[in-house]
Amino acid sequence: MQKSMLESLRSIVQEVNAVDDLQSVLDITVSRVLEAMSTEVCSIYLREPTLDRMVFMATEGLNKDFVGKISMAPEEGLVGQIVSREEAINLEDAAAHPKFFHMPGIGEESFSSFLGVPIIHQRKMLGVLIIQQVQRRRFDEDDEAFLVTVSAQLAGVIAHAQATGAISIGPNNERPKSALFKGLAGAPGIAIGHAVVVTPLADLYAVPFRRCRDPVEELEFFHECLEVVREDIRALGRKLSARLVPEERALFDVYLRMLDDSALAAEVDEKIHQGQWAQGALSQVMRKHINTFEMMEDPYLQERASDVKDLGRRVLSYLQSANTAPVEYPERTVLVGEELTASMLGEVPSENLVGLISVKGSGNSHVAILARSMGIPTVMGAVDLPFTQIEECEIILDGYNGNAYLNPAEELRDRFQLIFDEEQQINKELEALKDFPCVTTDGHRVPLWVNTGLQADIARSLDRGAEGVGLFRTEIPFLLRERFPSEEEQRRIYREQLEAFAPMPVTMRTLDVGGDKSLPYFPIEEENPFLGWRGIRVTLDHPEIFLVQIRAMMKANAGLNNLRILLPMISGVAELDDALSLIHRAHRELIEELGFDLVLPMIGVMVEVPAAVYQARDLAKRIGFLSVGSNDLTQYLLAVDRNNPRVADLYQAFHPAVLQALKKVADDGHAEGRKVSICGEFAGDPAAAILLMAMGYDVLSMNATSLPKVKSVIRGISIEYGKNMLAQVLTMDCGEKIREFMNAALKDSGRGQHRRNGLF
Ligand code: PEP
Ligand code: MG
């Protein structure tokens, strides 16, 4: 019994996943649920947000003529009861319920039993799913549990179909409607531009919808690629024929038959004729067939889905690799992808790139950190964005609030254009602060350093008046290559940084890969990468990589002596001792090798694992300075994946536990006579910077974009004001309240006028 329920659930979800339009999703759902639950009526009501009505959207068993035509207020009837209570209602005699509301004409008079469940997606009430039956009986617990499960699984599919429907071009090619997609603030700023969708290669499920310029040419191209794949398969079949049993050999013939001009290829041809590009046409056809196989009852045939998938991928890779036409980036490109990476950003000419939208990830993901340092407005975690469908769409991106507006109406564009212009003006004003010191009104000096990684960060940082580098993320140049850089290549990269800032200090962090930073040539696949092999754990296991990096840093430092070395992800003294002994060894060996003395740089530890907070004194005793990595420290203290948009609202940078930890590290570091800095994104938030200054942090290191804003705020307050804020905040017990308190305080003191511009 249970197994068949699970099977029905799987097949319903699979079937609806294969269709894109909302009405088909709903129609399939009601008819399959009706079958699976052997009942007489299944209907769906969806909330229409602009009218705020519950619309009768699909039914099996009631009068279909009323579908889409009748609606009720969200609080009306039993549907309203489900909406307001956000839970299931199970009634033996629906008409006897005081909230029962009879909709004339739809034909539900004769049905007594009623079971309805809410459809909720990301805390938002999308609608209600109902089953009914003539015979008076209470649906049992299994029925209720099944319906709740179906609804929970379908909510995401419905939300996605609604989103796709909202932006699709109508049957008469009319202008697509405007739509707002909510995500998370990634990097502040407003961008107005056109979408270019980037997708990983050979993924049939991530091919953007695009029209081809010339269907005849596109067909020719498709058939050329198809012929190459056919020849490949024939060659592979010949090569393996001696080793294969006849049934396995037959598989190659099946593949070839599938690719025959009269089979799958003909379906793809038809879509190309209709104006689609070959990749999109292929992806649609293959996905349909994969789904058909997956839905089959027979396990052998079900398995064939993977053959079709494999075949589809092969053809797609050919189409992709043979498509040598360079991607055209419009003048104002908004790069959109399911999961953007640093190297994808690198493909776009920097003068064309105005904004980024990533379906996955959050404001603390490394790609967002990179975007902030480059000053590119970014929206992360736009989970409902039908990203494959929005190629070339006009987009307004609000990186302050994490909103993306597709196909905006003129008035909206004008409104955002004004904000954009105002923002440019404010930036100009901030630029004027470049040569002024970061000092409070009562003379307390706060050195502001920068976090770097890209080559372009150097100029940006110097332009904004950085006084040093608090964190050079060395993994970034590693990420942009196809193999580990050699010692000499590294030396040159490091020398460039050290020279550009000398005599100002440059803090170079040793390679910090793992987590969400994986090198294409050194992939780390783990169940739980943020708790796995990352940072110092990797480099201590690979001394050959660590030593080369340390040697390159020390050689680059010759004659300049402004290098500091920082060790990431230290969770105990043993790791630190091991790292120190390797550094000392590299130092000794270099002196012997070069024949002249090389200064041993100051060494520091990142405090980003909670254990390091409690061992701050033990760690500090062994080294020259501590630097807090608040991005990771927050995720580990609060047990919130910094990359996961679902829990992004729990990632509270101002959480009292985080503030207490930050204060403890500053106090403990100072108790050992060491300097304490911070290089997490928290330092770049002006409200946070005030608190950190008051805690006694010796250096605040941040992305270059935030630096002038932080400076402007600190120059407007006194240290006394900051200490007073801190004292009040430390008595508060809730991160959200602390953030609100800080925003309000800054606004009151006249520094809130740039709120929208990311100042607070
Ligand atoms: C941090 O964790 O705060 C930090 C600065 O390092 P990263 O963001 O590169 O992990
Ligand atoms: Mg970190």
Side-chain angles (χ1 to χ4, degrees):
M1 161 76 178
Q2 220 181 12
K3 187 159 181 277
S4 80
M5 279 291 189
L6 188 57
E7 274 171 3
S8 322
L9 179 69
R10 274 208 195 120
S11 81
I12 295 173
V13 172
Q14 215 156 45
E15 208 176 334
V16 295
N17 259 322
V19 291
D20 279 334
D21 74 293
L22 180 63
Q23 198 55 50
S24 308
V25 167
L26 302 178
D27 291 342
I28 293 172
T29 305
V30 289
S31 84
R32 295 294 173 266
V33 168
L34 184 107
E35 268 167 37
M37 301 193 70
S38 316
T39 183
E40 287 147 357
V41 172
C42 180
S43 316
I44 293 179
Y45 289 79
L46 288 189
R47 188 174 205 148
E48 159 54 61
T50 42
L51 306 170
D52 199 19
R53 305 275 298 172
M54 300 300 295
V55 182
F56 182 57
M57 288 295 290
T59 190
E60 201 58 57
L62 298 183
N63 189 346
K64 290 191 181 181
D65 293 345
F66 284 79
V67 164
K69 302 210 175 89
I70 52 167
S71 67
M72 54 182 131
E75 62 285 348
E76 258 177 329
L78 292 173
V79 167
Q81 183 81 350
I82 299 168
V83 170
S84 65
R85 295 185 38 190
E86 300 188 329
E87 59 182 8
I89 293 189
N90 188 355
L91 302 169
E92 202 174 314
D93 181 9
H97 191 282
K99 286 283 271 183
F100 180 77
F101 167 82
H102 177 63
M103 280 267 221
I106 64 169
E108 60 180 341
E109 300 80 358
S110 51
F111 299 101
S112 311
S113 322
F114 176 105
L115 171 60
V117 297
I119 306 171
I120 300 177
H121 176 64
Q122 295 190 329
R123 296 195 183 181
K124 215 168 98 198
M125 177 68 64
L126 299 184
V128 170
L129 171 64
I130 291 165
I131 56 171
Q132 288 169 284
Q133 197 161 307
V134 172
Q135 190 198 20
R136 232 196 228 207
R137 65 141 167 145
R138 226 178 127 77
F139 288 102
D140 65 20
E141 264 185 27
D142 278 357
D143 294 328
E144 195 172 321
F146 180 74
L147 207 61
V148 167
T149 317
V150 171
S151 159
Q153 289 239 24
L154 284 176
V157 186
I158 291 177
H160 185 78
Q162 278 181 322
T164 310
I167 57 155
S168 55
I169 299 165
N172 304 321
N173 253 358
E174 64 261 29
R175 193 178 181 282
K177 286 189 229 123
S178 311
L180 161 65
F181 290 91
K182 287 198 161 293
L184 303 161
I190 302 294
I192 304 175
H194 286 88
V196 173
V197 181
V198 280
T199 52
L201 291 179
D203 183 347
L204 287 167
Y205 293 82
V207 177
F209 179 89
R210 212 173 271 174
R211 305 203 74 78
C212 65
R213 302 205 193 293
D214 178 352
V216 177
E217 238 175 58
E218 193 71 3
L219 272 171
E220 213 173 285
F221 170 61
F222 172 61
H223 282 272
E224 271 166 28
C225 291
L226 204 58
E227 192 41 47
V228 182
V229 178
R230 283 194 199 116
E231 191 40 50
D232 261 11
I233 294 173
R234 278 186 217 115
L236 198 65
R238 281 194 298 270
K239 203 167 126 199
L240 295 177
S241 67
R243 281 190 269 149
L244 298 179
V245 292
E247 301 90 80
E248 288 166 342
R249 236 178 285 148
L251 194 61
F252 287 92
D253 294 331
V254 175
Y255 268 27
L256 286 171
R257 250 178 280 128
M258 282 201 254
L259 289 184
D260 201 82
D261 283 343
S262 61
L264 292 176
E267 290 180 51
V268 179
D269 284 358
E270 196 186 322
K271 292 201 181 296
I272 298 177
H273 269 304
Q274 290 162 2
Q276 281 225 47
W277 70 321
Q279 293 184 32
L282 176 83
S283 137
Q284 270 190 8
V285 170
M286 297 315 271
R287 279 162 46 197
K288 189 183 91 193
H289 286 282
I290 293 165
N291 196 57
T292 312
F293 278 104
E294 279 175 345
M295 302 263 310
M296 289 184 177
E297 302 272 319
D298 181 313
Y300 175 79
L301 289 174
Q302 241 180 40
E303 271 299 300
R304 302 285 63 79
S306 52
D307 297 332
V308 184
K309 211 181 270 175
D310 177 45
L311 198 59
R313 281 210 202 106
R314 274 169 189 270
V315 183
L316 182 63
S317 324
Y318 262 101
L319 290 173
Q320 288 172 332
S321 60
N323 186 356
T324 47
V327 183
E328 283 170 29
Y329 294 102
E331 209 177 300
R332 305 189 64 75
T333 295
V334 175
L335 202 66
V336 181
E338 187 174 24
E339 194 162 18
L340 290 179
T341 61
S343 46
M344 286 173 177
L345 309 199
E347 301 277 312
V348 192
S350 57
E351 62 280 10
N352 291 26
L353 185 60
V354 297
L356 302 173
I357 306 179
S358 182
V359 173
K360 292 190 177 164
S362 80
N364 307 295
S365 305
H366 280 94
V367 73
I369 292 177
L370 212 57
R372 283 199 284 277
S373 103
M374 294 164 78
I376 303 173
T378 298
V379 172
M380 299 292 293
V383 289
D384 288 328
L385 183 75
F387 70 100
T388 56
Q389 312 282 320
I390 65 167
E391 180 86 349
E392 291 180 11
C393 279
E394 189 183 10
I395 294 185
I396 293 176
L397 185 157
D398 172 357
Y400 300 115
N401 298 301
N403 290 335
Y405 301 85
L406 254 64
N407 310 313
E410 213 167 308
E411 313 83 75
L412 193 73
R413 198 182 314 119
D414 292 348
R415 187 142 53 84
F416 274 99
Q417 187 64 47
L418 273 180
I419 301 175
F420 181 82
D421 295 343
E422 194 185 307
E423 190 183 63
Q424 302 299 312
Q425 183 56 34
I426 291 168
N427 285 342
K428 254 202 207 115
E429 284 164 30
L430 289 172
E431 269 168 32
L433 286 177
K434 173 180 177 262
D435 296 319
F436 289 92
C438 180
V439 61
T440 59
T441 51
D442 48 355
H444 180 83
R445 190 80 173 77
V446 186
L448 299 187
W449 295 12
V450 274
N451 298 342
T452 58
L454 296 167
Q455 218 170 6
D457 287 332
I458 298 178
R460 244 189 320 258
S461 306
L462 294 170
D463 276 356
R464 286 169 178 73
E467 298 169 70
V469 175
L471 170 65
F472 172 49
R473 289 185 167 93
T474 58
E475 58 278 3
I476 293 179
F478 277 64
L479 276 168
L480 303 175
R481 286 180 162 64
E482 290 182 350
R483 53 166 176 76
F484 281 111
S486 67
E487 184 174 317
E488 178 51 22
E489 279 172 306
Q490 290 188 50
R491 190 198 63 79
R492 266 188 257 130
I493 298 167
Y494 304 152
R495 182 77 185 179
E496 196 183 4
Q497 283 274 324
L498 292 164
E499 262 176 356
F501 288 91
M504 295 187 283
V506 174
T507 314
M508 296 199 174
R509 179 171 71 183
T510 61
L511 191 65
D512 183 22
V513 289
D516 68 337
K517 286 178 288 193
S518 134
L519 301 173
Y521 47 89
F522 189 65
I524 301 173
E525 307 244 332
E526 290 178 322
E527 283 276 303
N528 210 341
F530 277 115
L531 298 184
W533 204 45
R534 47 170 318 211
I536 199 75
R537 302 170 184 182
V538 177
T539 44
L540 285 180
D541 286 351
H542 279 281
E544 77 285 14
I545 296 172
F546 188 71
L547 286 167
V548 163
Q549 187 172 36
I550 298 293
R551 286 166 57 91
M553 286 180 184
M554 288 203 228
K555 277 187 176 173
N557 190 34
L560 295 172
N561 299 335
N562 57 339
L563 167 70
R564 308 179 343 145
I565 295 180
L566 184 59
L567 303 169
M569 282 293 290
I570 295 282
S571 60
V573 292
E575 273 169 342
L576 176 55
D577 290 341
D578 289 349
L580 287 175
S581 93
L582 285 172
I583 294 173
H584 291 141
R585 189 177 118 195
H587 182 236
R588 274 194 316 273
E589 286 173 2
L590 269 181
I591 293 176
E592 271 169 34
E593 216 174 287
L594 299 172
F596 58 84
D597 207 4
L598 267 183
V599 173
L600 179 69
M602 191 189 273
I603 297 162
V605 156
M606 287 204 68
V607 179
E608 52 184 345
V609 176
V613 173
Y614 295 98
Q615 282 209 290
R617 291 190 73 150
D618 297 316
L619 296 169
K621 279 190 185 98
R622 292 166 156 81
I623 36 116
F625 66 100
L626 295 175
S627 183
V628 176
S630 55
N631 307 335
D632 278 313
L633 185 58
T634 307
Q635 83 159 339
Y636 293 131
L637 270 178
L638 305 182
V640 175
D641 181 343
R642 65 192 266 186
N643 240 357
N644 184 345
R646 274 202 195 144
V647 289
D649 56 345
L650 294 175
Y651 187 99
Q652 290 176 3
F654 287 83
H655 193 290
V658 175
L659 296 182
Q660 295 292 350
L662 288 167
K663 179 157 186 317
K664 179 170 166 50
V665 177
D667 292 347
D668 288 359
H670 291 151
E672 293 297 332
R674 303 291 186 254
K675 296 269 189 225
V676 184
S677 53
I678 175 164
C679 59
E681 292 294 297
F682 196 51
D685 180 318
I690 294 175
L691 300 177
L692 293 164
M693 170 185 82
M695 287 180 195
Y697 274 81
D698 301 291
V699 170
L700 307 183
S701 188
M702 61 200 67
N703 65 67
T705 313
S706 301
L707 194 145
K709 303 172 184 177
V710 170
K711 192 190 272 188
S712 141
V713 169
I714 289 185
R715 285 177 56 84
I717 60 166
S718 65
I719 180 78
E720 277 321 302
Y721 174 85
K723 284 190 175 157
N724 187 295
M725 290 272 117
L726 179 65
Q728 293 190 61
V729 156
L730 289 179
T731 64
M732 297 165 74
D733 60 5
C734 162
E736 274 169 26
K737 282 192 204 139
I738 297 176
R739 167 148 282 292
E740 278 166 23
F741 170 81
M742 289 303 294
N743 285 345
L746 285 167
K747 216 169 182 176
D748 285 351
S749 64
R751 275 165 289 276
Q753 74 272 31
H754 302 326
R755 169 77 188 89
R756 192 184 50 234
N757 295 73
L759 273 180
F760 311 124

